[in-house]
Amino acid sequence: MTSKLAKSIFYVGTLSSALLFLVLTWDTHNQVHALTNADRLSDDVVEGKRVFQKYNCNDCHTILGFGGYYAPDLTRVYDRRGENYIRGVVAQPELILANSFRKMPHQNLSAQEIDRLVDFFRWVNDIDTQDWPPQDSKKRRSTESKRLIGGSAMTPGAALFKGQGCIACHSIGGVGGDSGPALDDTGARMSLEQIRQYIYDPASVNPQTNMPGYQEMTPSDLDALADFLARQKGETQ
Amino acid sequence: MIPYKSQRVAYPYFVVALLLFGLQVLMGLWLAINYAFTLPQSLVDIFPFSTARAFHTNLLVLWMLLGFMGGTYFMVPEESKSELFSTKLAYLQLIILVGTGVTALVGFLFGWTQGKPLLEIPLELDLLIVVGALIFLFNVAATMIKAKNWTMIQGTLLGGLVMLALLYLFGLPFYKNLSIDWYYWWWVIHLWVEGAWELVTGAIIAWILLRITGVPRGVVEKWLYVEIGLFLFTGIAGTGHHYYWIGAPRYWLWVGGIFSALEPVPIILMVWDTFRHVKERQQKIENPLVWLLAAGCAIYHLVGAGVWGFIHTLPQINYYTHGSQVTVSHGHMAFFGAYALLNFTIFYYAFPQLKGITHFRQTLGKWGFWITSLAMFALGLAFGVAGVLQSYLERVLGLGFMTAQAQMQLWFKIAIVSGLVFFVGVVIIIYDLLKMKQSAPERIAAA
């Protein structure tokens, strides 16, 4: 290879890539308004972003997949956990995560800061991320649910109980999370219809609840899950 | 031993860089402990993971940049055949940068942060960093301009350093839109490590190979043109692999996927180039440890940055691995392979000369290289296995984050052990460099 050819590889390579990158950057700016619903990017949301940065949340949590890898990704936290859970865990992490093997610092946010943070998560929740992260995708049922529903060992309701993430907060038979009450005796305390309504819109039954609503679930899944819980009439562990 | 008196300014840069590196690794061990064990809430409230991580990553950037800067100050006088423009400015710049760095670390303890990972430093301190960087660029450029002895290696180095400084500016503003924020965040982070830093690496490795092998300059420079041309061709548009899931248009999946799939090409060329130069060497290699480190840097660069990066920047894989421990694995292997080993190479090339040593025992240095390299590989694998587990449990099976993390504990414990071994290697290297003494040449042959 001659030196002249080597130099032209350098110039052509660098300039072509930089040009492509800059043109696409310009185009991204044109499209990002729609993709991120920038019309809903209110002062409150921006203030929420400042709170998020002020307490350095992003060095433990990832958001849009970037940041620390120590704590859950927050891109879809608004859908996954709901507003009340977010408020609870930010205000009193030592209570909500009392039995978790990983802790979150108590940051002493003001009530207003928590409001703004929730506004921020609500806005981030609607960014068009090409359906990422996969576990929060609304387009698919988790592979685990599919596998469990397909198998004979578990009823569809039990599979949904795991697959929809109920088990992350609630336990049955001592298995599951503990940020919500254990559900071993749900069927003894509530009717099928009450349970169904509770899952669909928890706040309509219990205004104090931290539980997110599951309006996204199909009616048949909702029936199956309520049916499963109505059968739980045992003792709380 | 050093042909130019002003090359001495490199020495304090190297010493500070080495000590900060030791501190960075200690912080890393602390982070691994955070992963594997439950700490009491009272400790988490005072010194949370987020603060420790800010320490770990900012120390990384600071020690590596100080290493590059010291390396530049060592190299430029010889390459331009003139003393540095000003040694006073070089010392002033070191004081500014280290002072700012220490202030930033203390500030993190009190929650003084901008809250942007890797760019946590508050704006006031950022501006001081900019001042330090401008002094550095001015000093280097003024030396080169005054000497009027332009070479391609100097051009590459200066180009890389200017690019590095300019891109830093994109990290300064507060962006209202989170997607735009990440978009420009990568202009600093990605375009640094896969653009500007690669130019610096290319220039320094080419210069050291030129020195130790005596291969004609024309040959070295020709391949340097091709290498950095390919680095920039693949690296600039390759930034797109960070734009898949951030609310940017869909075409980034194609652009990012294709260009980052090509990113290993210049690194392969660099490995081939390094070995070819040594094969065609025209003089005896007097300091075989430097050759070992340069070759290790090229190969590890290929493994950590090239192969590891290649695998998980394909969009179909990245959809599952994005934001998981797989990224952590890649980050550690790539930074160590490409840039920590580069700094070791510079240190072992420059230290003997700065201390007026012609021959030194190379045993400890070799141990240091092999221990750190193998321990980092084990660490990378531990994070990698944890990351694959996480991707499967969380993204495929749909389990909750903490449920998946519970299954990864074993691998975090392996990471702690690997980290401890790595730390031993680092201590050996720091000790060896600082305590290096003249030894008889025949003892090298025995070692």
Side-chain angles (χ1 to χ4, degrees):
Chain A
M1 187 185 296
T2 61
S3 290
K4 208 178 155 201
L5 180 63
K7 273 186 201 180
S8 42
I9 288 177
F10 167 72
Y11 284 113
V12 172
T14 306
L15 293 177
S16 61
S17 187
L19 188 67
L20 173 71
F21 187 64
L22 291 175
V23 168
L24 294 186
T25 295
W26 177 76
D27 184 71
T28 299
H29 269 284
N30 290 336
Q31 295 201 38
V32 85
H33 189 87
L35 290 165
T36 62
N37 306 299
D39 52 322
R40 278 184 259 150
L41 192 58
S42 64
D43 290 345
D44 285 349
V45 172
V46 173
E47 205 45 52
K49 184 170 182 285
R50 287 188 193 278
V51 173
F52 187 69
Q53 291 186 211
K54 177 180 170 191
Y55 293 97
N56 203 15
C57 310
N58 212 171
D59 253 313
C60 284
H61 292 277
T62 52
I63 191 161
L64 295 170
F66 306 122
Y69 307 90
Y70 190 63
D73 189 275
L74 299 177
T75 311
R76 296 279 182 260
V77 69
Y78 190 83
D79 264 356
R80 190 170 67 238
R81 287 301 199 172
E83 196 171 323
N84 289 325
Y85 182 90
I86 297 170
R87 285 175 190 280
V89 83
V90 172
Q92 295 181 304
E94 70 280 13
L95 291 185
I96 306 266
L97 303 175
N99 295 317
S100 164
F101 66 92
R102 207 166 282 170
K103 304 292 176 193
M104 172 166 155
H106 195 293
Q107 304 272 31
N108 302 309
L109 270 68
S110 72
Q112 201 199 355
E113 283 179 322
I114 295 178
D115 285 344
R116 296 295 87 85
L117 196 57
V118 168
D119 292 333
F120 173 61
F121 288 138
R122 187 187 297 119
W123 174 79
V124 171
N125 194 65
D126 291 330
I127 294 176
D128 178 358
T129 58
Q130 330 258 16
D131 213 31
W132 188 91
Q135 72 269 29
D136 293 331
S137 164
K138 286 176 190 158
K139 287 187 193 156
R140 51 177 234 160
R141 212 197 284 271
S142 81
T143 313
E144 189 192 36
S145 299
K146 275 188 256 174
R147 188 167 56 83
L148 291 173
I149 292 169
S152 57
M154 208 181 256
T155 62
L160 285 162
F161 183 73
K162 291 185 85 172
Q164 287 289 329
C166 311
I167 201 162
C169 292
H170 297 283
S171 67
I172 289 179
V175 176
D178 47 23
S179 46
L183 298 180
D184 302 77
D185 62 348
T186 323
R189 289 186 289 114
M190 297 164 91
S191 72
L192 179 70
E193 193 40 51
Q194 280 171 323
I195 295 170
R196 194 183 189 283
Q197 180 60 30
Y198 206 118
I199 301 166
Y200 182 75
D201 184 9
S204 69
V205 182
N206 174 8
Q208 305 298 321
T209 185
N210 284 333
M211 178 170 146
Y214 287 83
Q215 279 100 339
E216 307 281 348
M217 281 175 77
T218 62
S220 60
D221 280 1
L222 209 51
D223 287 339
L225 183 54
D227 178 61
F228 167 72
L229 290 171
R231 288 170 198 275
Q232 306 302 319
K233 296 180 180 174
E235 293 285 307
T236 305
Q237 297 252 330
Chain B
M1 272 303 287
I2 40 172
Y4 296 90
K5 217 170 56 207
S6 54
Q7 284 178 291
R8 262 215 69 77
V9 299
Y11 191 73
Y13 275 85
F14 293 156
V15 173
V16 175
L18 275 172
L19 297 178
L20 294 177
F21 178 39
L23 187 59
Q24 190 216 346
V25 178
L26 275 182
M27 266 307 138
L29 276 170
W30 174 247
L31 292 175
I33 289 171
N34 273 260
Y35 268 106
F37 300 101
T38 300
L39 301 176
Q41 181 76 39
S42 50
L43 184 59
V44 174
D45 283 343
I46 301 168
F47 191 57
F49 181 91
S50 51
T51 306
R53 183 175 187 265
F55 267 67
H56 184 63
T57 53
N58 281 274
L59 281 165
L60 165 95
V61 176
L62 189 58
W63 89 262
M64 286 190 168
L65 287 181
L66 290 176
F68 297 166
M69 286 168 169
T72 305
Y73 280 140
F74 186 83
M75 185 174 143
V76 164
E78 278 190 51
E79 187 67 7
S80 68
K81 299 192 172 59
S82 85
E83 295 286 355
L84 285 180
F85 176 76
S86 162
T87 51
K88 281 195 185 123
L89 278 181
Y91 287 120
L92 173 70
Q93 177 216 335
L94 179 65
I95 293 168
I96 292 176
L97 291 180
V98 175
T100 310
V102 171
T103 312
L105 294 181
V106 175
F108 292 155
L109 290 173
F110 298 95
W112 194 30
T113 172
Q114 219 180 94
K116 283 163 64 159
L118 275 92
L119 303 178
E120 289 96 345
I121 297 183
L123 190 62
E124 295 85 341
L125 296 181
D126 270 332
L127 297 177
L128 277 175
I129 297 271
V130 171
V131 171
L134 287 178
I135 293 176
F136 173 67
L137 283 179
F138 170 77
N139 206 1
V140 171
T143 309
M144 290 178 181
I145 291 166
K146 241 179 98 185
K148 292 200 189 74
N149 216 332
W150 289 102
T151 62
M152 197 260 160
I153 289 179
Q154 284 179 71
T156 307
L157 187 64
L158 192 62
L161 295 170
V162 169
M163 183 177 166
L164 198 162
L166 279 181
L167 289 168
Y168 189 69
L169 302 178
F170 287 92
L172 300 187
F174 176 86
Y175 298 94
K176 291 181 175 180
N177 188 319
L178 184 69
S179 298
I180 296 290
D181 197 341
W182 285 119
Y183 193 90
Y184 287 107
W185 190 86
W186 288 109
W187 281 43
V188 188
I189 308 303
H190 175 100
L191 289 176
W192 264 17
V193 297
E194 273 144 282
W197 288 22
E198 294 282 12
L199 295 195
V200 174
T201 309
I204 291 177
I205 288 277
W207 185 73
I208 288 182
L209 285 177
L210 187 69
R211 298 267 140 177
I212 66 171
T213 62
V215 169
R217 178 177 284 275
V219 179
V220 174
E221 294 196 337
K222 186 174 74 184
W223 288 107
L224 185 56
Y225 265 118
V226 181
E227 266 166 41
I228 62 170
L230 289 175
F231 267 124
L232 291 173
F233 175 69
T234 58
I236 295 175
T239 315
H241 63 235
H242 301 291
Y243 297 159
Y244 297 161
W245 329 111
I246 69 164
R250 202 170 171 77
Y251 49 69
W252 285 113
L253 278 108
W254 287 97
V255 176
I258 290 169
F259 280 84
S260 54
L262 292 172
E263 277 187 32
V265 175
I267 317 181
I268 292 171
L269 182 62
M270 200 178 195
V271 175
W272 174 76
D273 192 31
T274 305
F275 280 88
R276 198 176 48 93
H277 281 142
V278 171
K279 218 173 127 196
E280 293 172 7
R281 69 184 175 273
Q282 312 204 331
Q283 62 198 39
K284 186 168 171 286
I285 292 179
E286 298 283 353
N287 189 342
L289 182 55
V290 171
W291 152 237
L292 174 70
L293 289 165
C297 175
I299 293 171
Y300 218 125
H301 194 160
L302 178 62
V303 174
V307 178
W308 248 241
F310 171 82
I311 291 171
H312 94 126
T313 50
L314 296 171
Q316 295 83 350
I317 293 177
N318 190 261
Y319 182 66
Y320 292 98
T321 58
H322 178 57
S324 74
Q325 291 292 327
V326 171
T327 313
V328 178
S329 171
H330 167 58
H332 280 78
M333 304 255 290
F335 268 113
F336 177 79
Y339 301 121
L341 284 176
L342 172 71
N343 273 338
F344 293 174
T345 311
I346 308 170
F347 295 164
Y348 272 101
Y349 181 74
F351 263 72
Q353 300 185 39
L354 286 164
K355 288 170 171 246
I357 293 171
T358 47
H359 291 95
F360 64 99
R361 280 187 63 102
Q362 311 222 317
T363 325
L364 274 184
K366 282 182 190 161
W367 275 102
F369 166 75
W370 285 109
I371 292 175
T372 49
S373 297
L374 293 175
M376 181 50 82
F377 198 72
L379 187 68
L381 280 184
F383 285 141
V385 175
V388 171
L389 257 178
Q390 181 184 10
S391 305
Y392 182 71
L393 295 173
E394 223 187 307
R395 270 76 191 261
V396 179
L397 293 188
L399 298 184
F401 180 85
M402 287 308 290
T403 316
Q405 294 283 316
Q407 307 302 316
M408 294 148 65
Q409 292 302 78
L410 168 69
W411 299 97
F412 291 133
K413 285 174 184 151
I414 294 175
I416 295 177
V417 176
S418 314
L420 277 170
V421 177
F422 184 78
F423 183 65
V424 170
V426 171
V427 170
I428 290 175
I429 287 174
I430 295 175
Y431 173 86
D432 188 37
L433 284 167
L434 296 182
K435 296 281 177 185
M436 187 178 280
K437 282 193 186 67
Q438 178 74 26
S439 75
E442 61 271 18
R443 288 177 69 186
I444 296 172

PDB file of all heavy atoms in Angstrom, chain A residues 33 94 161 234:
ATOM      1  N   HIS A  33     -38.940  14.804  19.106  1.00  0.00           N
ATOM      2  CA  HIS A  33     -40.090  15.466  19.717  1.00  0.00           C
ATOM      3  C   HIS A  33     -41.279  14.504  19.797  1.00  0.00           C
ATOM      4  O   HIS A  33     -41.894  14.330  20.844  1.00  0.00           O
ATOM      5  CB  HIS A  33     -40.468  16.706  18.900  1.00  0.00           C
ATOM      6  CG  HIS A  33     -41.484  17.559  19.578  1.00  0.00           C
ATOM      7  ND1 HIS A  33     -41.132  18.540  20.476  1.00  0.00           N
ATOM      8  CD2 HIS A  33     -42.832  17.571  19.515  1.00  0.00           C
ATOM      9  CE1 HIS A  33     -42.231  19.122  20.940  1.00  0.00           C
ATOM     10  NE2 HIS A  33     -43.271  18.543  20.361  1.00  0.00           N
ATOM     11  N   GLU A  94     -36.366   2.082  53.837  1.00  0.00           N
ATOM     12  CA  GLU A  94     -35.993   1.128  54.888  1.00  0.00           C
ATOM     13  C   GLU A  94     -37.188   0.267  55.294  1.00  0.00           C
ATOM     14  O   GLU A  94     -37.008  -0.844  55.762  1.00  0.00           O
ATOM     15  CB  GLU A  94     -35.380   1.865  56.084  1.00  0.00           C
ATOM     16  CG  GLU A  94     -36.337   2.712  56.908  1.00  0.00           C
ATOM     17  CD  GLU A  94     -36.622   4.081  56.270  1.00  0.00           C
ATOM     18  OE1 GLU A  94     -36.293   4.294  55.079  1.00  0.00           O
ATOM     19  OE2 GLU A  94     -37.210   4.932  56.956  1.00  0.00           O
ATOM     20  N   PHE A 161     -50.095 -15.350  38.099  1.00  0.00           N
ATOM     21  CA  PHE A 161     -49.667 -14.796  39.389  1.00  0.00           C
ATOM     22  C   PHE A 161     -48.144 -14.600  39.405  1.00  0.00           C
ATOM     23  O   PHE A 161     -47.647 -13.594  39.871  1.00  0.00           O
ATOM     24  CB  PHE A 161     -50.095 -15.741  40.527  1.00  0.00           C
ATOM     25  CG  PHE A 161     -49.763 -15.216  41.899  1.00  0.00           C
ATOM     26  CD1 PHE A 161     -50.484 -14.162  42.443  1.00  0.00           C
ATOM     27  CD2 PHE A 161     -48.721 -15.760  42.636  1.00  0.00           C
ATOM     28  CE1 PHE A 161     -50.172 -13.666  43.699  1.00  0.00           C
ATOM     29  CE2 PHE A 161     -48.405 -15.268  43.899  1.00  0.00           C
ATOM     30  CZ  PHE A 161     -49.142 -14.213  44.426  1.00  0.00           C
ATOM     31  N   GLY A 234     -56.180 -20.652  52.713  1.00  0.00           N
ATOM     32  CA  GLY A 234     -55.387 -21.251  53.791  1.00  0.00           C
ATOM     33  C   GLY A 234     -54.972 -20.228  54.838  1.00  0.00           C
ATOM     34  O   GLY A 234     -55.440 -19.086  54.848  1.00  0.00           O
TER      35      GLY A 234
END
